[in-house]
Amino acid sequence: MSKKPISSDSCLNMTLDSVRESLIGQEDTIIFCLIERAKYPINSPLYDESVAGVPGSLVEYIVKETEALQAKVGRYESPEENPFFPENLPPLIVPPHNIPQVLHPSGISININKTIWDTYFNQLLPLFVREGNDGNYVPTATCDLHCLQALSRRIHYGKFVAEIKFMDAPEDYSPAIRAQDRATLMSLLTFEKVEEMVKQRVEKKTMVFGQEVSLNDPDDKKGKYKVDPSMVSRLYGEWVMPLTKLVQVEYLLRRLD
Ligand SMILES: O=C(O)C(=O)C[C@]1(C(=O)O)C=C[C@@H](O)C=C1
């Protein structure tokens, strides 16, 4: 059988509504990833740089090696994907996908994964994971990897949101871009009502997706959730949306290059 390159649907017909739909879909992924990670305790030896056998911490090693494998088969061909360890990724071993170019070339390489990594491990994890060590290090690290990839994808999706906003109203954005005025760009791209809806929706989704289910007494588990819904709303309000907006500002600053 002859081998053909893999192809994907075009993303050239994006609108602000369609990119917002994608962000809404990505909420589900993020919430399910958090629920999965919360099944395990913190398992701190995973993050200890002095554990023998691997360079750096075990979680870092697993993320690096997984990224290297996924790079070879095309994960980072997609402009929606950004590696945590971009240095020395191996070359593709499959034919390139030829994904249509939607983003402005100077904005494609924006990568704030270093900040996402630090925020996730130092601020987010301690908020939703219990203390303890059950020895399930590899499954736990795999959950961390999935959380990181889902958050990174969502936050860097700000590049697409910014491109649509610019294309919809170049006359509004261009003066602030020429002046490299971050504050004005930030206020132009901010929609407080949308942010409020996002926070409410992720809280509600966490209640639905993460409710405890009991067959015996239906009231037994009522009001108990696998992850605290108000914490997910806070995560979005304090980190996910601000970082998505940071990506948008960074992208717009380069949009006329
Ligand atoms: O929906 C938008 O317009 C976005 O830019 C996305 C987003 C978000 O991260 O969810 C960010 C900024 C806006 O203030 C509202 C929401």
Side-chain angles (χ1 to χ4, degrees):
M1 203 167 60
S2 74
K3 295 197 171 192
K4 285 195 244 141
I6 317 167
S7 64
S8 58
D9 291 340
S10 158
C11 46
L12 286 174
N13 298 323
M14 286 180 157
T15 61
L16 189 52
D17 282 346
S18 74
V19 291
R20 282 182 174 154
E21 277 303 312
S22 170
L23 293 179
I24 291 172
Q26 291 181 53
E27 289 165 1
D28 304 4
T29 313
I30 290 173
I31 294 165
F32 283 122
C33 286
L34 297 176
I35 290 172
E36 283 301 300
R37 177 60 184 85
K39 285 183 183 163
Y40 301 104
I42 189 76
N43 282 337
S44 49
L46 257 181
Y47 314 113
D48 185 343
E49 307 239 324
S50 61
V51 171
V54 293
S57 66
L58 193 54
V59 78
E60 192 179 314
Y61 183 71
I62 289 172
V63 173
K64 265 188 191 157
E65 291 290 315
T66 308
E67 286 195 336
L69 167 68
Q70 296 186 346
K72 287 199 272 188
V73 288
R75 184 178 187 110
Y76 304 107
E77 286 282 276
S78 163
E80 294 177 28
E81 300 289 347
N82 295 272
F84 283 84
F85 298 98
E87 321 80 30
N88 307 319
L89 281 179
L92 266 186
I93 58 168
V94 295
H97 290 180
N98 293 327
I99 295 173
Q101 180 82 273
V102 178
L103 299 175
H104 189 65
S106 344
I108 292 176
S109 62
I110 292 165
N111 183 334
I112 63 158
N113 274 339
K114 175 89 185 70
T115 306
I116 296 173
W117 178 279
D118 291 343
T119 308
Y120 175 77
F121 287 115
N122 299 326
Q123 300 187 56
L124 306 188
L125 255 193
L127 283 182
F128 73 96
V129 164
R130 65 185 189 283
E131 282 299 311
N133 179 352
D134 68 1
N136 282 312
Y137 301 134
V138 178
T140 306
T142 307
C143 290
D144 283 330
L145 167 69
H146 292 156
C147 286
L148 286 166
Q149 287 181 328
L151 288 165
S152 171
R153 187 184 178 93
R154 195 283 178 198
I155 289 165
H156 288 98
Y157 211 74
K159 296 180 199 177
F160 293 91
V161 184
E163 176 62 23
I164 304 292
K165 287 182 178 170
F166 176 81
M167 291 299 277
D168 282 350
E171 65 289 355
D172 292 350
Y173 285 93
S174 295
I177 296 173
R178 275 190 219 100
Q180 294 286 287
D181 179 350
R182 288 173 166 272
T184 300
L185 289 172
M186 186 60 97
S187 88
L188 282 170
L189 62 82
T190 296
F191 293 83
E192 269 160 26
K193 275 200 182 136
V194 176
E195 293 189 22
E196 205 39 56
M197 275 172 11
V198 172
K199 283 195 285 183
Q200 285 178 19
R201 192 175 46 244
V202 293
E203 182 159 353
K204 194 166 174 187
K205 282 184 178 180
T206 311
M207 287 177 178
V208 176
F209 302 163
Q211 64 187 310
E212 296 286 0
V213 177
S214 165
L215 275 186
N216 303 325
D217 178 1
D219 285 338
D220 190 24
K221 304 263 183 177
K222 216 171 172 190
K224 295 203 178 117
Y225 304 108
K226 296 173 200 292
V227 166
D228 176 4
S230 65
M231 188 280 299
V232 178
S233 172
R234 187 176 152 204
L235 180 149
Y236 262 76
E238 291 183 23
W239 295 289
V240 175
M241 290 194 287
L243 290 175
T244 306
K245 293 203 287 182
L246 173 67
V247 168
Q248 292 190 53
V249 170
E250 292 297 330
Y251 182 88
L252 289 166
L253 286 170
R254 297 162 171 75
R255 185 56 183 76
L256 296 176
D257 288 359

